[in-house]
């Protein structure tokens, strides 16, 4: 019998760690699976996904820039995907329809609270950015018990739209990017901008960093390096990239597909050593 087929769709996708991660998870349970990285430009995404599932694909991860398109083409959406409007996991249902989930925000919170041991309850949180990545984690930060969520985006309209969608004005509100030097300090600063991925500088004032601040970049590797260097220079108590988030979101997808949650820590350590 052929192994069950899985894939990650993105564009570009060449450096994706997902095939390695899912194979390492599968080994923990003695499962045989095939997991491919499929590069699909936006115009081809829907057709490529349909072809993959029509040929017997069981599940797919979806990364940039396709998360909104993945949500749009699914027949059924989990509450976490519906509130965000994007999906990072597609699963074939027994009747052939596709279900969408979004595991990004849960993955980030689990990485912070369980792997790094930081309880977010009562934290004042600053979310930098209001694009897809920011939307993917905003609600989960509130679910994790942050006291306030301040959303700051270069283009204020997107920050306002996200705060409106959240609809909790007492806790989630916006400030202007040009006022960053005057808005005080925070316990949690999440970089959800794509500046690091694009390789452009993100000048930020050190005054944002509070005494117990945790600075977190949703990306990892080179893309996270300048934000983490800024956090360390500002004496942040913690500075983490999103590698652990990637592992946790992958483990959630694996659990959806296989009904068993893998151990993420050994795979995290392996990838951390490989990138060092
Ligand atoms: P992603 O899916 O990675 O979130 P996106 O939806 O295109 O990608 O959103 C990119 C985010 O990074 C946006 O919040 C963007 O701000 P704008 O809405 O003003 O474009 C932010 N961003 C990108 N480059 C930036 C930069 N150089 N400085 C500040 N914010 C930046």
């Amino acid at each position: 019998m052929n192994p069950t087929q899985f894939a990650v769709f993105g564009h570009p996708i060449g450096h994706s760690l997902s095939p390695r991660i899912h194979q390492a998870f599968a080994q923990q349970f003695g499962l045989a699976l095939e997991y491919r990285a499929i590069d699909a430009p936006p115009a081809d995404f829907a057709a490529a996904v349909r072809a993959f599932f029509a040929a017997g694909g069981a599940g797919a991860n979806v990364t940039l820039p396709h998360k909104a398109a993945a949500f749009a083409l699914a027949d059924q959406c989990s509450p976490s995907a519906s509130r965000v409007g994007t999906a990072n996991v597609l699963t074939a249902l027994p009747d052939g329809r596709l279900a969408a989930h979004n595991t990004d925000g849960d993955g980030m919170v689990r990485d912070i609270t369980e792997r790094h041991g930081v309880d977010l309850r009562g934290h004042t949180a600053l979310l930098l950015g209001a694009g897809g990545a920011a939307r993917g984690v905003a609600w989960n930060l509130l679910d994790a018990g942050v006291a306030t969520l301040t959303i700051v985006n270069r283009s204020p309209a997107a920050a306002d739209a996200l705060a409106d969608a959240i609809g909790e004005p007492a806790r989630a509100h916006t400030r202007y990017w040009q006022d960053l030097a005057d808005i005080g300090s925070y316990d949690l600063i999440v970089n959800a901008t794509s500046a690091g991925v694009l390789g452009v500088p993100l000048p930020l004032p050190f005054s944002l960093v509070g005494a117990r601040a945790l600075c977190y970049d949703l990306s990892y590797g080179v893309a996270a390096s300048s934000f983490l260097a800024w956090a360390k220079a500002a004496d942040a108590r913690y500075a983490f990239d999103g590698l652990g988030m990637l592992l946790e979101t992958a483990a959630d997808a694996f659990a959806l597909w296989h009904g068993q949650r893998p151990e993420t820590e050994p795979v995290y350590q392996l990838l951390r050593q490989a990138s060092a």
Side-chain angles (χ1 to χ4, degrees):
M1 201 173 95
N2 288 334
T4 324
Q5 311 268 321
F6 298 90
V8 56
F9 288 85
H11 183 66
I13 196 66
H15 297 295
S16 173
L17 294 174
S18 294
R20 240 177 111 180
I21 290 172
H22 279 268
Q23 290 297 357
F25 288 166
Q27 271 178 16
Q28 293 181 14
F29 302 102
L31 291 173
L33 55 83
E34 187 181 309
Y35 191 110
R36 287 182 288 149
I38 300 178
D39 191 331
D44 300 341
F45 172 71
V49 167
R50 293 202 188 287
F52 170 76
F53 283 103
N61 287 117
V62 179
T63 188
L64 298 179
H66 300 314
K67 292 184 184 184
F71 174 79
L73 69 69
D75 303 297
Q76 197 184 85
C77 297
S78 70
S80 64
S82 296
R83 69 183 180 179
V84 176
T86 61
N88 67 334
V89 184
L90 291 172
T91 306
L93 298 171
D95 62 5
R97 293 180 309 141
L98 284 184
H101 289 82
N102 193 319
T103 62
D104 282 336
D106 270 352
M108 181 198 65
V109 168
R110 194 172 316 106
D111 183 43
I112 292 175
T113 57
E114 293 183 17
R115 173 165 293 103
H116 300 304
V118 178
D119 185 345
L120 290 177
R121 282 176 296 181
H123 277 48
T124 54
L126 176 67
L127 181 60
L128 299 169
R135 288 183 74 89
V137 300
W139 279 269
N140 301 79
L141 290 171
L142 292 163
D143 294 346
V146 299
T148 56
L149 179 68
T150 303
I151 305 162
V152 182
N153 193 49
R154 186 176 56 178
S155 322
D160 288 339
L162 177 52
D164 286 349
I166 292 169
E168 274 195 66
R171 283 170 84 203
H173 55 263
T174 62
R175 300 295 297 264
Y176 288 116
W177 189 273
Q178 64 266 29
D179 294 340
L180 277 176
D182 305 313
I183 62 172
S185 62
Y186 293 84
D187 302 322
L188 172 68
I189 302 169
V190 176
N191 181 21
T193 75
S194 54
V197 174
L198 299 170
V200 298
L202 189 69
L204 297 169
F206 287 161
S207 56
L208 293 173
V209 177
R212 63 169 176 173
L214 187 161
C215 295
Y216 196 95
D217 198 305
L218 297 188
S219 53
Y220 57 88
V222 180
S225 59
S226 58
F227 177 76
L228 297 184
W230 168 81
K232 284 170 191 157
D235 263 339
R237 182 153 181 211
Y238 308 99
F240 301 127
D241 70 3
L243 182 64
M245 169 177 170
L246 177 73
L247 264 302
E248 298 307 321
T249 60
D252 280 348
F254 190 95
L256 276 168
W257 296 335
H258 304 286
Q260 312 183 81
R261 198 165 203 287
E263 292 285 335
T264 55
E265 192 57 23
V267 188
Y268 175 79
Q269 293 301 341
L270 209 72
L271 294 176
R272 197 47 100 198
Q273 278 160 21
S275 70

